[in-house]
Amino acid sequence: MKEKEIVDVTIIGAGVIGLAVASKVAGKKRKVYVLEKNDTFGQETSSRNSQVIHAGLYYPPASLKAKTCVEGNRMLYAIGEKNNGVAFNKLTKIVIATSEWEVGKLEALRKNGIDNGVMGLLLLSRQETKRLEPNVEARAALFVPSTGVIDGHGLMKFFLQKAKDKGAQVVYRSKVTDIAKTNTGYVVETQEGKEKFDFLTRVLINCAGLGADKVAAMAGIDITRAGYRLHYCKGEYFSVSGGKRKLVKRLVYPVPLPELAGVGIHVTLDLDGRMRLGPGVEYVKEINYKVDEKKKPFFYASVKKFLPDLTLEDLEPEMAGIRPKLQGPGEKQKDFIIRHEIDKGLPGLINLIGIESPGLTASPAIAKIVGNMVNEVL
Ligand SMILES: Cc1cc2nc3c(=O)[nH]c(=O)nc-3n(C[C@H](O)[C@H](O)[C@H](O)COP(=O)(O)OP(=O)(O)OC[C@H]3O[C@@H](n4cnc5c(N)ncnc54)[C@H](O)[C@@H]3O)c2cc1C
């Protein structure tokens, strides 16, 4: 019988997380594979988001989301400053309050941000907010200087190139269909077209995004008991056309509602200054990226209260992304899962599950954590 090929590290998924991880763990004479079911990298959630470099305001202190977001924020700006291919703009953001109740919430948000290590947060009066954003109606605002936007595709290309330079091999059109534990690692079965292949890997890293719970199940984990089952939560965007895109100079967010599955329909700008509203929050059963035009009045009403010059006709359906959420409808916020599964009797298996927002921001910091886990095994 033919001997199976042996690989040191296999990463499932070539989104921003899998690529960041590959760029970190490759090298040291390791044989590293990245397996991706699509034709190329970044075809799923990593290309369907707001591309915001988040500051780290919203997450509970000491959570993985808070720690990796705040650290990732600094790391992304450092990457952007050193690499021309990764464009970014530190646009800054304001979180605005439109009622007295929300004014109180701004102070709580500021305190949470400070506890998380977010620098430079400033509470602004109505007049100060008007000076920054003359077209925005607000009673008060929280100014967040470290928020920006980044070219997510450029970032993925940067991680991909770094991984390849360090010797990693990225295999497209290669879907992982089965995983079997052995004494020395994991036999990974992949399907490429009609053909099946398998090989042995000493370390297996699950960065499969929306498919991460299914991959964990393939490795023998009871995902319901472990709390790994994902809920799909769709976020649609509407773009704002013409001159209206100049209504704001920075990102404008509402105060988030308690346990909101997103951070509220907000106004973002991309690197070319295009304005969009979103993302919405809708739990769905299937992956479908169509934008429902009928939701236009809802998006308009959400933003109109603080951006009164906008009209319904300014909005066009744009795109949608799907959050891989551990938090089900009506449940409390849940943290990222980044776990070496040694205590489940699965040494060498590292699961990354529920990597929703702020995953893009957190990507280099998440890669650092995973890199340390791999160093403990190899
Ligand atoms: C609407 C929305 C807005 C967001 N906005 C922001 C934001 O502004 N800022 C921010 O920081 N974050 C944001 N996020 C979060 C961010 O986009 C994600 O955290 C990040 O992109 C997750 O990357 P990933 O690599 O884990 O997932 P993905 O990009 O989905 O990559 C996973 C990859 O795994 C592959 N895969 C799955 N199963 C298999 C298999 N069996 N075999 C082989 N390959 C497989 C998939 O094809 C895919 O390419 C947003 C997310 C959404 C949905």
Side-chain angles (χ1 to χ4, degrees), residues 188-209:
V188 178
E189 180 193 81
T190 67
Q191 187 160 359
E192 299 178 34
K194 284 192 179 129
E195 288 193 71
K196 292 211 168 190
F197 298 91
D198 63 15
F199 63 90
L200 183 79
T201 188
R202 295 169 67 197
V203 172
L204 182 61
I205 309 176
N206 171 9
C207 302

Side-chain angles (χ1 to χ4, degrees), residues 12-18 35-38 42-46 48-52 54 174-176 207-211 215 218 235 237 279 321-323 355-362:
I12 306 174
V16 72
I17 301 296
L35 306 178
E36 168 55 55
K37 67 180 163 59
N38 292 324
Q43 296 298 289
E44 303 204 350
T45 312
S46 299
R48 296 178 164 276
N49 59 53
S50 309
Q51 311 215 45
V52 172
H54 284 299
S174 178
K175 181 174 179 170
V176 173
C207 302
L210 293 163
V215 168
M218 282 179 210
Y237 293 87
I322 299 193
R323 305 170 181 90
I355 313 296
E356 52 165 330
S357 193
L360 179 72
T361 310

Side-chain angles (χ1 to χ4, degrees), residues 74-346:
R74 291 171 196 149
M75 291 170 88
L76 284 195
Y77 285 122
I79 290 171
E81 272 154 20
K82 278 199 222 115
N83 300 278
N84 290 334
V86 189
F88 72 96
N89 190 342
K90 207 173 193 173
L91 283 168
T92 75
K93 116 174 173 181
I94 51 172
V95 183
I96 51 119
T98 53
S99 67
E100 268 324 299
W101 179 82
E102 288 185 357
V103 174
K105 289 284 154 200
L106 286 185
E107 177 50 41
L109 208 53
R110 188 178 84 99
K111 189 176 170 314
N112 197 66
I114 291 171
D115 289 349
N116 286 348
V118 182
M119 309 292 276
L121 297 173
L122 266 184
L123 283 170
L124 305 178
S125 66
R126 181 194 292 266
Q127 292 77 7
E128 287 166 330
T129 309
K130 263 274 173 241
R131 241 174 276 141
L132 276 188
E133 291 292 345
N135 298 311
V136 171
E137 285 304 323
R139 287 191 183 211
L142 178 64
F143 177 66
V144 190
S146 55
T147 301
V149 289
I150 190 159
D151 168 12
H153 190 76
L155 179 67
M156 284 190 276
K157 266 174 90 172
F158 165 77
F159 288 137
L160 174 69
Q161 195 54 50
K162 196 166 162 199
K164 283 183 171 170
D165 291 347
K166 288 165 93 178
Q169 286 185 56
V170 185
V171 190
Y172 298 121
R173 291 176 286 279
S174 178
K175 181 174 179 170
V176 173
T177 49
D178 199 19
I179 297 165
K181 187 179 173 304
T182 70
N183 289 335
T184 49
Y186 298 87
V187 173
V188 178
E189 180 193 81
T190 67
Q191 187 160 359
E192 299 178 34
K194 284 192 179 129
E195 288 193 71
K196 292 211 168 190
F197 298 91
D198 63 15
F199 63 90
L200 183 79
T201 188
R202 295 169 67 197
V203 172
L204 182 61
I205 309 176
N206 171 9
C207 302
L210 293 163
D213 56 347
K214 293 189 188 75
V215 168
M218 282 179 210
I221 293 179
D222 178 340
I223 56 170
T224 305
R225 251 181 72 191
Y228 287 6
R229 195 171 285 282
L230 287 173
H231 305 268
Y232 298 154
C233 183
K234 189 166 176 177
E236 292 161 307
Y237 293 87
F238 284 76
S239 60
V240 175
S241 55
K244 293 287 176 71
R245 65 164 69 163
K246 302 238 157 52
L247 282 176
V248 297
K249 296 194 267 303
R250 54 183 52 70
L251 312 184
V252 184
Y253 284 57
V255 165
L257 293 169
E259 307 312 341
L260 192 72
V263 287
I265 291 182
H266 49 264
V267 180
T268 62
L269 299 169
D270 68 13
L271 285 165
D272 301 318
R274 273 189 297 264
M275 190 202 282
R276 57 159 85 113
L277 313 182
V281 172
E282 184 192 3
Y283 281 92
V284 293
K285 290 271 172 253
E286 278 166 19
I287 297 173
N288 166 355
Y289 295 114
K290 202 171 168 317
V291 179
D292 179 2
E293 200 166 350
K294 291 202 284 299
K295 296 205 184 101
K296 193 159 137 170
F298 170 74
F299 277 71
Y300 171 64
S302 306
V303 176
K304 165 89 180 159
K305 58 183 176 217
F306 61 83
L307 209 53
D309 291 344
L310 213 60
T311 63
L312 186 66
E313 293 68 43
D314 297 325
L315 271 60
E316 291 296 332
E318 199 200 29
M319 61 126 182
I322 299 193
R323 305 170 181 90
K325 269 194 171 297
L326 289 163
Q327 172 191 6
E331 290 177 2
K332 284 197 176 309
Q333 261 195 57
K334 299 227 169 119
D335 203 3
F336 292 154
I337 289 173
I338 305 173
R339 200 170 287 160
H340 180 195
E341 304 288 11
I342 197 157
D343 57 343
K344 290 194 178 65
L346 298 166

